[in-house]
Amino acid sequence: QVHLVESGGGLVQAGGSLRLSCAASGFTFSSYFMRWYRQAPGKERELVAHISNSGGTTDYADFVKGRFTISRDAAKRTLYLQMNSLKPEDTAVYYCHARHAYQLTSYWGQGTQVTVSS
């Protein structure tokens, strides 16, 4: 049974930091690209960051470059998003997403709320 469980969200002041985690189980973690998305109320879901199955390649949306860092730990089967210099516009539900490197297979987590106050 596939599970992606996000944690680490919460309330933080502008300029502060949070570290999100996504614990993966039920699939071959090393065969999947991992991504973080976010969705604010009334907004479209948007891609925040991407990491390759090996962890060797990362990519970021322009609005988080220099502030957020995506990483993964193969032994712990966990994806991370370190978020620094948070802004009120970063307020959203953050979702973990897994996509197979070669096949049409993907999975979503349930999301974790991040709220940044001004």
Side-chain angles (χ1 to χ4, degrees):
Q1 199 167 4
V2 172
H3 292 285
L4 293 172
V5 182
E6 299 96 333
S7 61
L11 176 64
V12 65
Q13 291 183 316
S17 298
L18 285 173
R19 190 192 195 197
L20 306 184
S21 298
C22 172
S25 62
F27 65 98
T28 305
F29 186 64
S30 62
S31 296
Y32 284 72
F33 297 164
M34 300 297 295
R35 292 164 174 169
W36 287 101
Y37 287 79
R38 71 186 188 187
Q39 188 167 26
K43 304 287 187 179
E44 295 287 326
R45 189 170 297 188
E46 60 186 354
L47 178 65
V48 175
H50 164 95
I51 188 166
S52 64
N53 56 317
S54 69
T57 301
T58 59
D59 199 12
Y60 300 90
D62 287 342
F63 52 82
V64 303
K65 284 182 178 177
R67 300 190 297 123
F68 292 9
T69 302
I70 189 170
S71 62
R72 64 195 293 165
D73 187 320
K76 296 180 179 179
R77 297 176 56 85
T78 301
L79 175 74
Y80 302 98
L81 185 68
Q82 179 66 48
M83 305 186 295
N84 299 325
S85 302
L86 283 161
K87 305 174 181 179
E89 52 262 45
D90 294 320
T91 295
V93 177
Y94 283 72
Y95 296 92
C96 176
H97 181 259
R99 188 185 76 82
H100 196 278
Y102 306 109
Q103 301 177 6
L104 294 176
T105 307
S106 64
Y107 308 104
W108 288 97
Q110 295 300 305
T112 186
Q113 177 71 48
V114 172
T115 302
V116 184
S117 65
S118 59

